[in-house]
Structures are given as structure tokens and as C-alpha cells.
Amino acid sequence: MAVIGAGPGGLCAGIELQRAGLDDFVILEKAPSVGGTWWHNRYPGAECDVQSHLYSYTFEPKPDWSRPYAAQAEILRYLEHVADKYQMLPRCRFGVEICSARWDQDRSVWHLQTTADQHLEANIVISAIGMFNDIATPDIPGLEEFAGTRFHTARWPEDHDLTGERVAVIGSAASAVQTIPEIAPLVAHLDVYQRTPQWVLPKADEPFTEQELQRFREDPDAVPAQREKIYAQLEATILFDDAEMLAESEAAGLRNLAQVEDPDLRRRLTPSMRYGCRRPLLSNCYYPAFNRPNVELVDCGIERIETNGIVDGNGRTRPTDTIILATGFETTRFLSSIDVTGRDGLHIRDAWRDGAQAYRGITTAGFPNLFMIYGPNTNNGSLIYMLELEVAYIIRHIRDMIRNDLAWIDVRPEFMDAYNTQLQQDIAGVTVWAADCRGYYRAESGRVVTQLPYNMTMWRQQTSVPDADAYESGRITT
């Protein structure tokens, strides 16, 4: 078996395979170490927007998180600890990037090809590459001709010093909201290019006191109680179906925005969309950054980029030393970022012509023995808990295959279609997602392919239901 990716999903898959006695597997990771998105995203201010006592494995609680919402470095150390404790490092092959996967119907195996032209075979493939795999680069005239420094937040160069530079941040979503307050005090001038104002709510993120940390370490009930408290709070909000909660969230966002002193600037930073239409953001530092004399909001667009600067939508040339692309990821691609060919030559891009879709977000018809973690329409709640549920589902089906001497299983198209029909109906019922606010949720067809319209409890129920009848199969022949 092959697991693609050594981030939170890939590590979880490996640990649970090992626990189940399914020892014949390898974890393939393109980076030089574990961590996935938390290894790649090292930009200043990078942190999680789910509280850490819930954004951690149920089987490996951490009593000494330094604060409610951990930053990137602390999360990465946690994942490194998990990989070491559960002996996943010997299972990992680092620096191995899979570029293609082809199903061999005669032998019931997957042929995997790496970017280094290596060939591997696996009877079962578990994709743990998730949503945040391919970075999104904006199509701006002249971007390639820029003579200064240019990089994406997800590929932050640790050796580049921004001190005293004229810097442009293109984008105003998650990575921008986290990065801007960190770099604003360093740079000579910072232009923030905003296309759409975001809802940015305050964040209850005071570091834990020594007394609190002592209680988490010494009281065996403290961490589980904290986790349950966070779980209940998140469950009450993630379906965006409580009008009072939505109104309270928007009021909190406006109070947070009130920190911007200039009334015209405050107006330009005020969202026109409903809270929840796009990914909710949290920060106590973003809005105060705009009170600095060296920070300027540019919301008139970009006409083009020249060798030494950016020409904005009003025709003004803005001298720039460094461009930072805070433009996110190609979130709707999922597994199609790899060249995947299934039964009868079916390509994943053709199967997903109208947008990525899968049965329970885990299996797609026409691609036997191929499972996905954090696949289409599984984005909601605490992703680490969600992917634990998905891994448990996968393990159950692999065990069934072994018990019944099955060479392959493939979800039946009618089951996948029925599931997705109901799923899209339920998504349509989430009013704030129905608005077109140019977020990352939709494929080009307009289909919402990232979001799950169910809470974590409902997802646990769905992934726990026996559904062997949803799959066709072939037996091992000798």
C-alpha cells in the first residue's frame, strides 16, 4: 500500500494502518520531512484557526499547547513528535513526489510514477494530499518580468530580509491577514492589494497561564474537558444555520474593524458579503496594522506589473522591491493535481469535468482501491478529527477486502451520484454559501466542491455506517 503525503492525514493513515496490523505500506512525501501544509507554510504569523486542543489527534492529546490557537512552528513540532513516537519516520520516503498514477486492470495494482522518473507499484493507494497542495498564482500582466523579489506565502524564503523594503502583498485572505501585522513594522512601505474585503473577527488567544498549563498537565480530565468544550462551540457554528449567531459574528467583526481610525479606510475594509460566505478569518492584529503610516490599502485593482513596480488600477506606478503573493491554493483540484488514470482509461480530470466529487468524499467511481483523505466536500470543523473518521472508514474497507479475498473494490456510480445529489441539495440549503462571493469553494462549473454541509457529529455517523453494498469488487485469482 502507498500513502501519498506525510501531513496530518498521511501520518494518521500510517498510524492506523500499523495499529490494524496492515504493515505493508509506505508513506511518500515530496518535502524533506513530515508536516504537510504545516511544513510548507512558514510565513510570519502562520497559525491555525481551530483551537489546538481540538486540532490534534484524539489518540495523542497535548497538554502543553502554549496558547489556544497554536502557531505553525508549534504545530509542526507536534506532528514531528507524533511521527517519531508512532514510528512513522522509517515508513516515510522523503523527496518523493508522485506525478502520475495508472490503474492496471489485469494485475489490480496502481503504477505510480515520480517526478524523478521512479516507478512504484501499490495494490491500494491512499491520497492524503488534501486541498492545499498546488499554490495559486494570479494571472497579472508583467508578473514574470518583475525584477525584484517575488514569492508566494506558501514558499516563504527564510533567508530574505524585508527590513526597509517597499513591499506589496497581493491578496487579503487568510495568509495575508496573518502575515501583514508581522511584516508591517519591518518594511519601509507596505501596499496591501485587496480585491474583496473579508470578515475578520477577534481571536480569544491569550497564552495559557502557568496555572492553566499545570492543570492541563496534572488533571487527567482537564484536556478532554477542554476538547469537548471547543467541540461543542464549533458544532454550534459550522453549519451557519443560526441567524442569531451570524448576526453576532458580523457585529463582532464590525467591532474589530472599528480599530481602524480613518473612517474612509474603515469603509473600504468593510465586507459587503454575509459572514460565512467565504472562509471566516480571525485576527486581533490585522486591522490595527492599517493605522500605521507606512501601510496603504490598494483596492482599485492592478493594471500590470513592471520591472520595478506595480501599476494600480488608477494608473499610478507604485515602486516595489518585493511582491508577496498571498493568493492561496488551487483548492478545487484535490487528487487531480496528479495525473491519475483509472478503469478503462478514465482520467480523473474527465471524471471531475463538472467539479471534484466522491462518495463520502473518499472514493470516486472508476478508480478502484483509491481512497482520499480530506477529499471533495469534506472541509468543515476540525480537520484532524474529520480525517481520523475518514481513515477509520478506509481501514474498515481494507479489512473487508482482506477478509473476503478481494483484489479490488470500486464505488458504484449510482451510490456516488445519489450521495452527491443529496449533498449538493444540502449545500444549497446553507444560505451564506449560496451567494457568489468569489471564494475558493466553487469549481469553474459553479459547483461547491470543498465544503461539507454537515457538522462533525453527523460526519462521524455517516462514515461509521456499514456500506459494503455501495461497492462492486473483484476477487483475487490464482
Side-chain angles (χ1 to χ4, degrees):
M1 288 179 284
V3 178
I4 304 177
L11 291 178
C12 182
I15 290 167
E16 295 300 344
L17 285 169
Q18 187 168 267
R19 280 177 161 177
L22 304 169
D23 292 323
D24 187 14
F25 70 90
V26 65
I27 302 176
L28 308 172
E29 170 56 55
K30 66 181 180 181
S33 187
V34 301
T37 189
W38 296 109
W39 189 92
H40 287 288
N41 287 267
R42 298 164 179 259
Y43 59 84
E47 58 190 15
C48 190
D49 54 8
V50 173
Q51 293 189 51
S52 301
H53 282 292
L54 185 59
Y55 192 82
S56 48
Y57 299 113
T58 57
F59 56 80
E60 188 60 27
K62 177 178 165 63
D64 59 348
W65 289 109
S66 63
R67 60 194 313 135
Y69 296 87
Q72 175 268 338
E74 190 171 11
I75 296 172
L76 181 58
R77 287 195 300 271
Y78 169 75
L79 293 172
E80 291 169 342
H81 157 75
V82 170
D84 181 57
K85 177 177 178 178
Y86 291 90
Q87 301 178 329
M88 287 297 104
L89 295 177
R91 301 280 189 175
C92 294
R93 296 186 192 177
F94 297 114
V96 177
E97 182 175 2
I98 302 300
C99 60
S100 70
R102 179 177 59 83
W103 174 248
D104 185 333
Q105 294 183 202
D106 295 330
R107 298 176 53 218
S108 298
V109 297
W110 282 98
H111 297 278
L112 305 177
Q113 199 76 16
T114 74
T115 54
D117 204 28
Q118 299 170 307
H119 176 259
L120 304 92
E121 289 187 0
N123 62 332
I124 293 171
V125 173
I126 300 174
S127 169
I129 65 174
M131 285 172 50
F132 304 114
N133 189 56
D134 293 340
I135 61 175
T137 302
D139 184 16
I140 303 174
L143 182 61
E144 297 300 325
E145 282 69 49
F146 181 65
T149 302
R150 170 174 62 90
F151 54 85
H152 193 279
T153 51
R155 302 294 183 266
W156 194 280
E158 295 183 357
D159 59 349
H160 184 73
D161 187 2
L162 295 173
T163 302
E165 289 194 341
R166 297 165 300 182
V167 176
V169 172
I170 299 178
S172 59
S175 63
V177 165
Q178 294 175 347
T179 300
I180 286 166
E182 299 293 321
I183 66 173
L186 305 176
V187 304
H189 183 81
L190 177 59
D191 286 326
V192 178
Y193 289 83
Q194 170 190 275
R195 183 174 64 179
T196 305
Q198 309 284 323
W199 282 107
V200 183
L201 272 60
K203 194 171 193 175
D205 195 30
E206 285 296 315
F208 291 119
T209 66
E210 183 52 42
Q211 184 178 13
E212 288 173 313
L213 290 172
Q214 183 177 356
R215 179 170 60 86
F216 288 140
R217 287 191 292 260
E218 296 179 0
D219 182 353
D221 297 324
V223 170
Q226 183 75 0
R227 184 181 176 94
E228 285 301 315
K229 177 182 176 182
I230 300 166
Y231 184 97
Q233 292 171 342
L234 199 54
E235 286 286 83
T237 61
I238 59 177
L239 295 184
F240 300 96
D241 58 352
D242 185 329
E244 183 177 348
M245 180 277 293
L246 293 173
E248 289 175 355
S249 297
E250 292 188 0
L254 292 175
R255 287 194 298 271
N256 204 26
L257 179 59
Q259 296 177 89
V260 178
E261 296 166 358
D262 181 86
D264 180 64
L265 182 57
R266 193 162 60 241
R267 175 188 60 78
R268 292 159 58 201
L269 287 164
T270 301
S272 59
M273 59 187 166
R274 292 292 309 277
Y275 172 77
C277 184
R278 299 180 72 171
R279 173 183 172 179
L281 305 174
L282 302 172
S283 175
N284 300 321
C285 310
Y286 179 63
Y287 289 131
F290 287 94
N291 294 328
R292 300 182 59 88
N294 67 328
V295 176
E296 185 173 354
L297 179 69
V298 184
D299 56 356
C300 58
I302 297 175
E303 181 180 312
R304 66 184 183 277
I305 295 177
E306 298 183 336
T307 304
N308 298 310
I310 299 177
V311 180
D312 68 23
N314 291 331
R316 173 184 170 185
T317 300
R318 297 173 174 271
T320 307
D321 300 310
T322 295
I323 294 175
I324 301 172
L325 301 176
T327 48
F329 298 85
E330 301 284 356
T331 55
T332 62
R333 293 194 66 186
F334 298 98
L335 187 58
S336 66
S337 61
I338 296 174
D339 184 17
V340 181
T341 306
R343 296 171 70 180
D344 302 319
L346 177 64
H347 198 281
I348 194 74
R349 287 194 300 268
D350 294 324
W352 289 352
R353 187 178 294 108
D354 295 329
Q357 55 184 297
Y359 176 66
R360 306 205 187 284
I362 298 171
T363 55
T364 294
F367 299 88
N369 295 6
L370 179 58
F371 301 93
M372 289 173 284
I373 302 170
Y374 197 16
N377 295 111
T378 61
N379 186 44
N380 214 344
S382 171
L383 295 183
I384 287 190
Y385 179 64
M386 299 288 280
L387 63 84
E388 282 191 62
L389 300 175
E390 293 153 24
V391 167
Y393 177 95
I394 294 167
I395 297 291
R396 186 173 77 242
H397 279 284
I398 293 175
R399 280 176 158 167
D400 285 346
M401 289 178 65
I402 294 172
R403 183 166 51 250
N404 295 307
D405 291 326
L406 301 179
W408 58 269
I409 64 170
D410 189 9
V411 65
R412 299 179 188 275
E414 61 270 25
F415 276 79
M416 187 181 79
D417 292 345
Y419 173 79
N420 279 274
T421 296
Q422 184 62 56
L423 179 82
Q424 291 299 319
Q425 290 176 2
D426 294 339
I427 286 174
V430 182
T431 305
V432 294
W433 292 347
D436 183 12
C437 51
R438 303 179 70 180
Y440 68 63
Y441 298 166
R442 296 180 184 274
E444 290 184 4
S445 65
R447 181 190 187 98
V448 173
V449 298
T450 63
Q451 300 309 99
L452 180 73
Y454 314 125
N455 60 26
M456 294 178 286
T457 301
M458 295 169 70
W459 191 234
R460 182 174 66 238
Q461 294 168 349
Q462 285 197 12
T463 54
S464 299
V465 174
D467 58 357
D469 58 335
Y471 291 84
E472 57 178 316
S473 61
R475 291 191 176 275
I476 297 173
T477 58
T478 57

